[in-house]
Amino acid sequence: IFGLKDDGRRLAATLDNLPHLLVSGASGSGKSIFLHSVIASLSCFSAPYSCNFIFIDMKCTELTPWSGSKRLIYPVITNAREAVETLADVEMTMNTRYKKLMKQGKRDNSDGTFPKIVVIIDELADLMLYAKKDAERYISSIAQKGRAAGIHLILSTQRPSVDVVTGLIKANIPA
């Protein structure tokens, strides 16, 4: 992930350093530009099939331009029911990866046994409005154990209030 700090100096970070991210800010503050920058950076600077994406775009506006990407595991998801089902699939994939890593005697995916999966949820508040209980459960589970299985979350919201970013989610998102 590449960007600029407030003072204009370059900033570079990897998913290993920032396994899960919460991006928040008012309308027009640059959240979407940041998300597009992250997607472009990960697409350009990772080997083919070493990093794949799942996009949940509840407003159907920000991530749909990426719908033709070959790195997408699913088409861009735009409704709450499909989003929850997809998060359930991600949790199942995470648990399956854990079992395989344990059988191989490994603690995590640091050697790249599995391709990274980056789940990007644009406008978390909308998802929480329609499916709070299920979304919170899956997001917190993935945030707790996903990094070791090569699964990363990037959540974006205009309202980082406690009804959107619950204590359980917030406690497991380090950046």
Side-chain angles (χ1 to χ4, degrees):
I1 301 170
F2 296 94
L4 295 176
K5 293 184 177 185
D6 290 337
D7 61 4
R9 289 184 295 144
R10 290 183 187 158
L11 169 71
T14 66
L15 289 174
D16 298 327
N17 298 13
L18 304 171
H20 308 298
L21 299 169
L22 173 63
V23 181
S24 64
S27 245
S29 63
K31 294 181 307 296
S32 297
I33 292 168
F34 175 75
L35 289 179
H36 289 288
S37 297
V38 168
I39 295 164
S41 292
L42 291 171
S43 295
C44 291
F45 297 106
S46 60
Y49 309 109
S50 68
C51 181
N52 297 306
F53 298 104
I54 296 173
F55 296 152
I56 298 175
D57 184 3
M58 297 303 295
K59 289 197 174 173
C60 310
T61 57
E62 292 305 327
L63 301 175
T64 50
W66 295 94
S67 61
S69 173
K70 294 181 189 219
R71 291 183 182 256
L72 281 177
I73 296 172
Y74 299 101
V76 177
I77 296 150
T78 57
N79 74 57
R81 183 185 53 77
E82 286 180 23
V84 169
E85 290 172 2
T86 301
L87 290 171
D89 286 348
V90 171
E91 184 186 47
M92 191 169 57
T93 299
M94 176 183 71
N95 291 330
T96 302
R97 286 180 170 196
Y98 260 109
K99 289 175 187 170
K100 289 179 181 178
L101 289 168
M102 285 184 350
K103 282 182 183 177
Q104 296 173 1
K106 298 177 182 176
R107 295 181 63 212
D108 58 30
N109 190 46
S110 58
D111 65 351
T113 302
F114 302 108
K116 290 181 187 215
I117 297 174
V118 180
V119 180
I120 298 179
I121 301 175
D122 188 38
E123 204 41 67
L124 179 63
D126 289 350
L127 178 59
M128 296 298 271
L129 178 68
Y130 296 110
K132 181 175 181 155
K133 182 180 167 189
D134 292 331
E136 178 184 27
R137 183 177 94 63
Y138 292 124
I139 289 169
S140 59
S141 173
I142 295 165
Q144 287 172 4
K145 303 185 298 186
R147 184 208 57 81
I151 299 173
H152 307 276
L153 291 172
I154 300 175
L155 310 174
S156 172
T157 186
Q158 289 181 22
R159 294 188 357 232
S161 60
V162 294
D163 59 322
V164 175
V165 183
T166 64
L168 194 56
I169 293 173
K170 188 176 182 178
N172 292 294
I173 306 284

